[in-house]
Amino acid sequence: MAFIEIRDLVVQFTRISEDGSETAGKKAIDGIDLDVEKGSFVAVIGMNGSGKSTLAKCLNGLIIPTSGKVLVDGMDTSDDSHIWDIRRRIGMVFQNPDNQIVSSIVEDDVAFGPENLGIPPEEIRERVDNALKEVGMYENRLKGAHMLSGGQKQRIAIAGAVAMKPQCIVFDEPTAMLDPKGRESVMRIIRQLNSEGITTILITHFMNEAAQADRIVVLGKGKVLADRTPDRLFSDMELIDRAGLELPPLIELREVLGLSDSIMTVEDMISELKKQCR
Ligand SMILES: Nc1ncnc2c1ncn2[C@@H]1O[C@H](COP(=O)(O)OP(=O)(O)O)[C@@H](O)[C@H]1O
Ligand SMILES: [Mg+2]
């Protein structure tokens, strides 16, 4: 059994017109089947409106399927009695750091989630300290959250998720509002958490971020257009065009230079170029 199992998932929002009558809108998710294995790192990409955020919210029961099923560790998100067990397992980090900060002091903010879980105070202290160290923000624990940069706030939001000790974290475009330095620091933390065993789902519109995952799921109009390793996805230009995507800058450079398809990282590129210059 996979950690997350999605079967024939459909989400259709209702449209409420001015006279108050409700009609079915178009399907935001239109028949998705997907498994996510424990410990894996899955990127989800696709054009605006393709259903990425809707899918993310289905994973911890923020949105309940119109039809089909989402199972987390064998528990159905439609079953109310499991909802807190599911939310304990799956943390969420969203795009806008300002919307995720709830307390004015950094360490209070990180404590908010575990407090809601009813964790004893001594353990909260330990979890908050560890989570802040994990994201490199322990030195800033007593600062006012308003003093932090966007990237630092996002690291605090990640610490808040980590302090809940989830088995999986879903990141919905966590770097979209950050500058390049903030983006890199957040990506470093995401890779580190995954290497420590946290199942990682990263929704992104940066192709170089998606390329760091084990597997990339491409959404288009609520359906899965592809589900492949980064190297197999980014060597399929027809699909990239059809899904309205771009190549990661590194892959684009590789193509322009006519280098081997096996080059997927900056390190690969450097060693290949050194070889050719010899
Ligand atoms: N709460 C909602 N009510 C009605 N329609 C929605 C709602 N949330 C999303 N949608 C629609 O569902 C589709 C998918 O949206 P979303 O999942 O946010 O896409 P993405 O994150 O890929 O940009 C879009 O057409 C969007 O307008
Ligand atoms: Mg979205």
Side-chain angles (χ1 to χ4, degrees):
M1 189 185 69
F3 179 61
I4 296 173
E5 294 185 342
I6 300 174
R7 293 291 173 268
D8 206 14
L9 176 65
V10 174
V11 175
Q12 189 163 22
F13 292 106
T14 44
R15 221 192 338 243
I16 301 171
S17 48
E18 281 174 23
D19 64 5
S21 63
E22 290 185 10
T23 48
K26 72 178 167 77
K27 291 174 180 167
I29 300 287
D30 190 6
I32 287 187
D33 288 288
L34 205 62
D35 280 355
V36 176
E37 300 297 334
K38 204 165 245 178
S40 61
F41 182 175
V42 180
V44 179
I45 63 179
M47 291 206 298
N48 279 341
S50 58
K52 303 180 299 294
S53 294
T54 305
L55 180 65
K57 289 175 189 151
C58 286
L59 299 178
N60 76 346
L62 285 172
I63 293 177
I64 299 299
T66 307
S67 65
K69 270 190 191 322
V70 177
L71 301 180
V72 175
D73 219 0
M75 295 177 289
D76 192 328
T77 59
S78 313
D79 182 343
D80 276 350
S81 67
H82 290 320
I83 203 70
W84 291 107
D85 284 324
I86 289 171
R87 296 210 176 139
R88 228 188 293 268
R89 281 172 176 74
I90 301 197
M92 291 272 183
V93 176
F94 295 102
Q95 182 178 110
N96 189 338
D98 290 315
N99 294 347
Q100 299 177 82
I101 304 280
V102 291
S103 304
S104 52
I105 303 295
V106 164
E107 64 176 12
D108 295 346
D109 195 79
V110 177
F112 183 77
E115 273 165 6
N116 279 342
L117 290 180
I119 308 288
E122 324 77 74
E123 190 182 337
I124 292 181
R125 178 77 261 162
E126 190 184 320
R127 284 190 183 202
V128 167
D129 288 351
N130 288 340
L132 283 166
K133 285 175 191 163
E134 180 89 47
V135 302
M137 290 293 287
Y138 183 72
E139 306 305 322
N140 295 307
R141 65 192 178 282
L142 298 175
K143 277 208 178 135
H146 64 282
M147 310 266 294
L148 306 178
S149 69
Q152 288 175 322
K153 282 183 196 163
Q154 205 56 321
R155 282 151 69 185
I156 296 305
I158 296 173
V162 168
M164 316 254 298
K165 294 207 175 166
Q167 294 177 20
C168 170
I169 302 180
V170 179
F171 298 90
D172 189 354
E173 305 207 24
T175 66
M177 301 180 75
L178 308 184
D179 60 17
K181 199 169 142 229
R183 282 210 290 273
E184 185 40 46
S185 71
V186 165
M187 278 308 296
R188 202 176 322 115
I189 291 162
I190 291 174
R191 287 194 303 269
Q192 173 188 317
L193 291 170
N194 178 246
S195 74
E196 290 165 6
I198 294 187
T199 307
T200 305
I201 299 177
L202 172 65
I203 297 170
T204 182
H205 66 255
F206 294 108
M207 295 304 119
N208 60 330
E209 294 180 0
Q212 298 174 33
D214 305 329
R215 183 179 148 205
I216 302 178
V217 174
V218 184
L219 293 190
K221 296 186 178 157
K223 292 182 192 296
V224 174
L225 299 182
D227 182 352
R228 309 183 181 170
T229 55
D231 57 340
R232 288 203 45 234
L233 175 67
F234 292 125
S235 53
D236 187 345
M237 272 321 288
E238 187 274 324
L239 174 64
I240 297 293
D241 285 341
R242 183 157 49 90
L245 302 169
E246 291 166 358
L247 289 176
L250 182 84
I251 307 289
E252 202 166 353
L253 182 62
R254 178 189 84 189
E255 296 301 307
V256 170
L257 295 175
L259 299 174
S260 153
D261 281 0
S262 64
I263 295 171
M264 289 301 294
T265 65
V266 173
E267 289 72 31
D268 294 344
M269 173 78 75
I270 291 170
S271 78
E272 178 65 25
L273 290 174
K274 276 187 179 157
K275 221 186 297 169
Q276 299 219 358
C277 289
R278 240 177 248 145

